[in-house]
Amino acid sequence: MSSTNAPEADACSTGTPEVVDDLPWIEDGGKIAPKDARVLSKQFLDRLQVLEEGTPEYQYARNALIEMNLSLVVFAARRFRNRSGGDMEDIIQVGTIGLIKAIDRFDLSREVEFTSFAIPYIVGEIKRFFRDTTWAVHVPRRLQELRVGLAKSRDALIAELGRTPTVKELADHLDLTEDEVIEGLVASNGYVAGSIDTPACDESGDGGLKYADTMGDVDPTLDLFEDLHTLGPLLQQLDDRERAIIEMRFGQEMTQAEIGRELNLSQMHISRLLNRTLTKLRAGLLPD
């Protein structure tokens, strides 16, 4: 780390703000030891209180504070490494947001160490990240928090009872109703999404039944059922001859000529009657 007074760094054209008389110029805040960072952070935070937001001096002090305290983010992120899937980069980025919020909201008059103030902000931001992004199915925040409570109560009751607790026992332990516990248990299923290629039973091997094999598909006859259900009352509104023609044409699959011979009418007449009847039915099915 190279540290000089701001005016000297400015003279060397290093991009130092024009006026930060009482702040040292820090080239790389990430290289400062944590012990030195604590001392410097207090100095920078004190100066940040009086600098005008948006000025180069303010940006310099704020950015230096972020760089010097990134080790706090790394420290806080370690407790979540088993939940990160091996990728800590996203967690550190989210934790850095918490650090920035802590810097912006810190007040020296509270007589609290910045480290003690910043860690809860960093951890809170990381927890919020997991809460909002790791659920495979989105559920209300109330149920997300209930899932955590259920997991802790379940572990405590298993240790006490020596077996898996019942819904009633969980409800009594959490002072909830059984319906609320059941709702939380169902919502917990949305935390992780399993693959539909997972075996549906304990049988091993590629030839076993998978969940995908048990999933239903759209039944094309359902649309036909709905159409027929809607058509029924409309058919009742037809007169006897119209219903007879529809039955012979579509039920018995007779040709217009055959229907004409049956009713002693010409094929042309049957065609007009059939078209008129079908138009009437279509108007009832599709009123728009």
Side-chain angles (χ1 to χ4, degrees):
M1 178 197 76
S2 61
S3 177
T4 63
N5 288 333
E8 296 175 2
D10 185 48
C12 296
S13 301
T14 56
T16 315
E18 294 180 0
V19 181
V20 274
D21 298 332
D22 52 353
L23 292 181
W25 168 244
I26 298 177
E27 187 70 31
D28 186 352
K31 294 181 179 180
I32 297 179
K35 182 178 180 180
D36 296 332
R38 285 195 293 270
V39 176
L40 287 169
S41 291
K42 186 174 181 180
Q43 182 181 357
F44 273 73
L45 286 164
D46 184 45
R47 193 73 176 89
L48 198 66
Q49 305 294 314
V50 297
L51 290 172
E52 184 179 353
E53 188 173 350
T55 61
E57 295 84 359
Y58 181 92
Q59 292 300 324
Y60 164 68
R62 188 169 179 264
N63 291 339
L65 280 166
I66 295 171
E67 291 179 359
M68 286 189 295
N69 289 283
L70 280 177
S71 59
L72 295 178
V73 178
V74 176
F75 171 78
R78 285 174 184 167
R79 72 175 71 178
F80 299 96
R81 61 181 178 271
N82 293 331
R83 299 174 60 181
S84 66
D87 182 9
M88 291 288 289
E89 184 177 349
D90 289 342
I91 298 179
I92 291 176
Q93 287 181 356
V94 171
T96 302
I97 295 174
L99 172 63
I100 294 172
K101 289 182 178 179
I103 291 171
D104 291 341
R105 299 173 185 176
F106 184 71
D107 186 355
L108 283 171
S109 64
R110 297 179 179 178
E111 297 183 354
V112 177
E113 284 287 337
F114 176 71
T115 300
S116 302
F117 181 82
I119 288 293
Y121 272 90
I122 296 169
V123 172
E125 202 67 30
I126 294 174
K127 286 183 176 180
R128 189 175 298 110
F129 166 75
F130 279 111
R131 183 191 64 208
D132 295 341
T133 62
T134 56
W135 283 74
V137 178
H138 179 71
V139 299
R141 182 174 299 178
R142 171 181 63 85
L143 295 178
Q144 294 182 19
E145 294 171 350
L146 178 57
R147 171 189 171 273
V148 177
L150 284 170
K152 291 180 179 178
S153 294
R154 183 176 181 275
D155 291 342
L157 289 172
I158 287 177
E160 179 183 337
L161 303 173
R163 58 173 173 79
T164 302
T166 64
V167 170
K168 184 179 186 307
E169 289 168 339
L170 284 170
D172 292 341
H173 191 264
L174 289 169
D175 196 22
L176 298 172
T177 66
E178 292 186 33
D179 287 342
E180 288 173 325
V181 170
I182 292 172
E183 185 181 19
L185 292 173
V186 172
S188 298
N189 294 330
Y191 187 70
V192 178
S195 171
I196 60 174
D197 292 326
T198 303
C201 54
D202 295 333
E203 297 178 2
S204 59
D206 296 335
L209 190 67
K210 298 180 175 59
Y211 282 112
D213 300 326
T214 65
M215 294 175 64
D217 200 355
V218 177
D219 189 345
T221 59
L222 286 178
D223 290 337
L224 178 60
F225 172 80
E226 291 180 356
D227 292 341
L228 292 175
H229 185 73
T230 306
L231 189 62
L234 299 176
L235 290 172
Q236 295 301 318
Q237 297 174 12
L238 301 177
D239 59 35
D240 292 341
R241 187 172 65 175
E242 289 171 333
R243 280 200 300 272
I245 291 173
I246 292 294
E247 164 61 23
M248 286 186 283
R249 179 70 185 91
F250 298 102
Q252 302 177 32
E253 297 185 350
M254 296 170 61
T255 65
Q256 293 181 7
E258 290 172 337
I259 297 172
R261 286 194 295 269
E262 182 73 21
L263 298 178
N264 198 25
L265 296 172
S266 68
Q267 181 179 345
M268 183 78 67
H269 195 180
I270 293 297
S271 178
R272 286 197 299 268
L273 289 174
L274 184 59
N275 287 334
R276 186 181 68 185
T277 303
L278 292 177
T279 299
K280 185 187 300 185
L281 293 174
R282 290 192 187 98
L285 287 172
L286 305 171
D288 295 335

